[in-house]
Amino acid sequence: MKKLIASLALCGLATTPAFAATFIGSTSAGNSVVTDYSDAGLISFDLDLSDLAPVSLSYQITADDLLSGLDFNAVLRNLTGTGLNEVRFSLSLASFQTLGTVTRSFDPSYTVASSLGGQQALVSFGSPEYLDVAIGNPLGTVGAQNWLIDTGNLQVGDVLTVTAAVPEPESYVMALLGLAAIGAFTRRRRA
């Protein structure tokens, strides 16, 4: 009888699904749709952008995610009808260890820069992107590389939040106008 119970317990362990970063959900002020494809050691999702509102995705970290860096990839589908000039990814509790590739539908030109100690990554497009963008290697493309999230500061049970935001051109205009006003004010004070 003991052998039967031990055999059943081993079968139960063998059929237990692999642990992975558990997708808790997404929040946005807009109507964009998220489809999660995460797996052990991988955060992966499709984001159908129907507007320019930021989208935050929350993942609970498991033991398998901490074995080495956590791979990151995504497909962004631009359904807004406007061209995207930039996309910013922000992480809570972690930072990007390496920034992999970005694959655009037509124009291959882009730059990627990190800031805030790697907690943010900004992808700037050489020309506006009206279609799909692959961040990392979600489609198994030869030569494409996933981004890597440093898990050194994470523990099992932590909730990692990934925020995807599209800076709106109006915010740049407002920032430039603000800087110009400050510059004019400073020049007047000196005179």
Side-chain angles (χ1 to χ4, degrees), residues 57-185:
L57 299 90
S58 298
Y59 293 89
Q60 188 166 25
I61 300 302
T62 66
D64 284 349
D65 301 319
L66 300 176
L67 296 176
S68 61
L70 186 58
D71 278 342
F72 173 80
N73 65 45
V75 173
L76 307 179
R77 292 187 184 89
N78 184 5
L79 307 175
T80 65
T82 62
L84 306 179
N85 293 308
E86 296 179 328
V87 177
R88 178 180 298 122
F89 292 96
S90 303
L91 300 175
S92 69
L93 304 179
S95 59
F96 289 107
Q97 186 172 333
T98 58
L99 301 174
T101 56
V102 175
T103 307
R104 299 182 57 191
S105 293
F106 293 107
D107 182 357
S109 64
Y110 70 91
T111 59
V112 181
S114 66
S115 61
L116 299 175
Q119 284 189 298
Q120 284 190 356
L122 180 67
V123 180
S124 300
F125 304 120
S127 62
E129 181 57 63
Y130 289 90
L131 295 175
D132 299 349
V133 177
I135 305 297
N137 192 10
L139 305 175
T141 306
V142 174
Q145 295 178 344
N146 282 335
W147 294 21
L148 188 64
I149 297 173
D150 183 2
T151 58
N153 293 328
L154 296 174
Q155 297 178 8
V156 173
D158 283 348
V159 176
L160 173 69
T161 302
V162 178
T163 302
V166 178
E168 298 181 44
E170 296 85 32
S171 63
Y172 290 125
V173 171
M174 293 301 287
L176 289 175
L177 288 175
L179 288 174
I182 291 170
F185 179 73

